């Protein structure tokens, strides 16, 4: 992360706070949800982070800002990885969708929605990816029991 | 002795029940329900080295309507269970099920919310095969065990098994 990149990211974020951390060669930029789309657009068009590797959900299981969503980006021309991270509240687990910027995020966001119940506003097709449509829970949340909720997934009659 | 009788009289006598059972057990056409890695061993079983054709089961049919035995080879999730059941329902009677490997038999190492802990919860299983994955010899042994079972249960007399056979139903709209 050089000064030029940092300058463009903070400019794109505007008033919103930007926190940059580096750990063993991995650069992470922590943003607030409202700045995500502007920074993402800047990443794609100005800083040539043209490839979205993954979108991850994390349940930190803490009272404040329980969930995190991490976007792992790669720039083919820079040969560099970068992570965008946002922290969100348990009450309103909502994040703007980045599918308009990286279409490849489509299924990744559906996976995070399925597993964590985080809604991606503006997503073109926000359905569950793995679990059946009628399933009511989000299995990767920390308060979900390992063996599931009894009778929540009906089996065919024997 | 039998050969002499055949040469002299031109016919043999046998119980019809035995003849039908004999025909059934030696032409068990499998439905290869290959869901995960066990399917690779199932393919090896069909290969010349192990040669499932020795038991009359070389005709792997990918349509359930021509099959006699469904070999469930792999991890069955709850989402997949309704598919497995639907294919089982589409098979004509008489039909049998081999549960191949630890996952299909008990969930295996996937002790998890998404994996059915044993397919006997939604289809009647005739033979379970242990192993992760089982060797082809183990699958052949299961097939031989099934052949023995078919011989014993008979074809005409009503057995305990035939009373168990349920009327096929649609899986999604199953009556409560």
């Amino acid at each position: 992360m050089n000064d030029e990149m940092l300058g463009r990211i903070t400019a794109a974020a505007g008033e919103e706070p930007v926190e940059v951390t580096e750990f063993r060669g991995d650069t992470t930029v922590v943003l607030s949800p409202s700045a995500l789309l502007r920074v993402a657009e800047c990443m794609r068009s100005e800083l040539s982070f043209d490839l979205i590797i993954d979108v991850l959900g994390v349940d930190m299981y803490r009272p404040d800002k329980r969930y995190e969503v991490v976007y792992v980006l790669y720039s083919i021309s820079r040969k560099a990885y970068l992570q965008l991270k946002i922290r969100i509240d348990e009450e309103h687990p909502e994040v703007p969708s980045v599918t308009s910027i990286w279409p490849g995020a489509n299924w990744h966001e559906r996976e995070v929605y399925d597993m964590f119940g985080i809604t991606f506003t503006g997503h073109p097709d926000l359905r569950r990816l793995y679990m059946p449509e009628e399933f009511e829970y989000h299995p990767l949340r920390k308060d979900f029991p390992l063996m599931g909720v009894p009778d929540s997934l009906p089996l065919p009659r024997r | 002795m039998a050969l002499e009788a055949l040469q002299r009289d031109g016919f043999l006598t046998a119980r019809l029940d035995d003849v039908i059972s004999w025909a059934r057990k030696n032409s068990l056409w499998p439905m290869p329900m290959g869901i995960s890695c066990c399917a690779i061993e199932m393919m090896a079983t069909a290969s010349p080295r192990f040669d499932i054709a020795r038991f009359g089961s070389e005709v792997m049919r990918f349509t359930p309507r021509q099959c006699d035995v469904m070999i469930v080879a792999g991890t069955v999730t709850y989402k997949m269970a309704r598919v497995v059941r639907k294919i089982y329902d589409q098979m004509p009677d008489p039909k049998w099920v081999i549960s191949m490997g630890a996952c299909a038999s008990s969930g295996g190492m996937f002790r998890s919310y998404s994996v059915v802990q044993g397919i006997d919860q939604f289809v009647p299983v005739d033979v379970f095969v242990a192993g992760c994955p089982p060797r082809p010899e183990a699958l052949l042994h299961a097939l031989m065990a099934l052949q023995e079972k078919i011989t014993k249960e008979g074809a005409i007399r009503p057995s305990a098994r035939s009373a168990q056979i349920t009327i096929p139903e649609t899986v999604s709209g199953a009556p409560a």
Side-chain angles (χ1 to χ4, degrees):
Chain A
M1 166 83 58
N2 55 34
D3 289 346
E4 187 236 337
M5 277 170 68
L6 186 60
R8 287 189 190 240
I9 290 170
T10 43
E15 302 289 302
E16 306 287 345
V18 175
E19 181 194 332
V20 181
T21 54
E22 208 158 315
F23 181 72
R24 296 195 179 167
D26 288 334
T27 312
T28 306
V29 179
V30 185
L31 300 164
S32 63
S34 50
L36 175 71
L37 277 187
R38 277 174 286 138
V39 174
E41 181 57 44
C42 160
M43 288 285 189
R44 170 84 200 256
S45 55
E46 295 177 34
L47 300 174
S48 75
F49 279 91
D50 34 22
L51 191 62
I52 189 145
I53 303 287
D54 208 349
V55 178
L56 316 163
V58 189
D59 183 359
M60 303 300 285
Y61 209 46
R62 60 191 170 201
D64 192 38
K65 306 274 184 197
R66 176 172 166 182
Y67 300 111
E68 288 182 350
V69 180
V70 186
Y71 302 82
V72 185
L73 310 176
Y74 184 70
S75 166
I76 295 170
S77 54
R78 289 172 191 267
K79 295 179 182 149
Y81 288 93
L82 197 139
Q83 296 179 64
L84 291 183
K85 187 185 278 188
I86 51 177
R87 302 195 170 113
I88 43 180
D89 285 323
E90 190 176 352
E91 290 77 36
H92 304 287
E94 271 185 25
V95 188
S97 168
V98 296
T99 44
S100 55
I101 299 159
W102 294 284
N106 190 315
W107 280 26
H108 295 311
E109 289 186 346
R110 280 178 60 189
E111 182 188 7
V112 173
Y113 163 71
D114 190 357
M115 292 289 126
F116 293 95
I118 295 167
T119 322
F120 291 86
T121 48
H123 191 286
D125 182 28
L126 197 64
R127 285 177 298 134
R128 285 180 176 274
L129 189 63
Y130 298 130
M131 302 305 287
E133 277 292 307
E134 63 275 12
F135 190 58
E136 292 170 16
Y137 305 92
H138 300 287
L140 285 193
R141 288 185 174 179
K142 291 288 180 198
D143 47 6
F144 185 81
L146 176 66
M147 288 309 288
V149 180
D151 301 326
S152 60
L153 285 163
L155 278 174
R157 213 168 51 143
R158 206 189 134 166
Chain B
M1 197 69 172
L3 199 62
E4 282 169 22
L6 192 63
Q7 281 170 345
R8 196 175 56 243
D9 304 324
F11 65 90
L12 284 172
T13 55
R15 285 165 65 220
L16 185 60
D17 198 84
D18 290 345
V19 173
I20 294 176
S21 296
W22 172 82
R24 276 183 182 172
K25 84 177 171 98
N26 288 302
S27 65
L28 283 170
W29 291 14
M31 167 77 227
M33 194 76 215
I35 302 169
S36 43
C37 25
C38 277
I40 306 294
E41 294 299 303
M42 186 170 57
M43 288 178 235
T45 315
S47 73
R49 190 184 181 94
F50 300 98
D51 198 10
I52 202 170
R54 292 180 292 154
F55 305 91
S57 294
E58 73 277 19
V59 199
M60 298 262 180
R61 286 288 130 135
F62 291 89
T63 163
R65 300 185 199 281
Q66 299 174 354
C67 296
D68 302 302
V69 52
M70 178 165 70
I71 303 174
V72 183
T75 316
V76 183
T77 59
Y78 280 92
K79 207 173 174 180
M80 193 67 192
R82 54 191 83 177
V83 181
V84 175
R85 178 69 208 201
K86 195 166 212 163
I87 285 171
Y88 176 78
D89 286 341
Q90 287 174 348
M91 286 164 59
D93 282 324
K95 52 190 172 183
W96 298 273
V97 176
I98 293 176
S99 166
M100 182 183 180
C103 290
S105 303
S106 71
M109 65 177 185
F110 300 104
R111 190 155 172 76
S112 153
Y113 61 90
S114 57
V115 176
V116 183
Q117 306 292 301
I119 61 165
D120 55 323
Q121 288 179 33
F122 62 91
V123 285
V125 178
D126 295 282
V127 187
F128 293 93
V129 191
C132 182
R135 294 272 312 160
E137 294 94 318
L139 183 58
L140 291 176
H141 186 236
L143 198 64
M144 289 160 75
L146 183 60
Q147 288 183 335
E148 199 182 322
K149 180 176 179 174
I150 291 168
T151 313
K152 280 182 182 165
E153 79 184 0
I156 298 169
R157 287 165 298 167
S159 64
R161 209 201 112 76
S162 61
Q164 229 181 62
I165 294 169
T166 49
I167 301 156
E169 66 203 15
T170 53
V171 175
S172 55

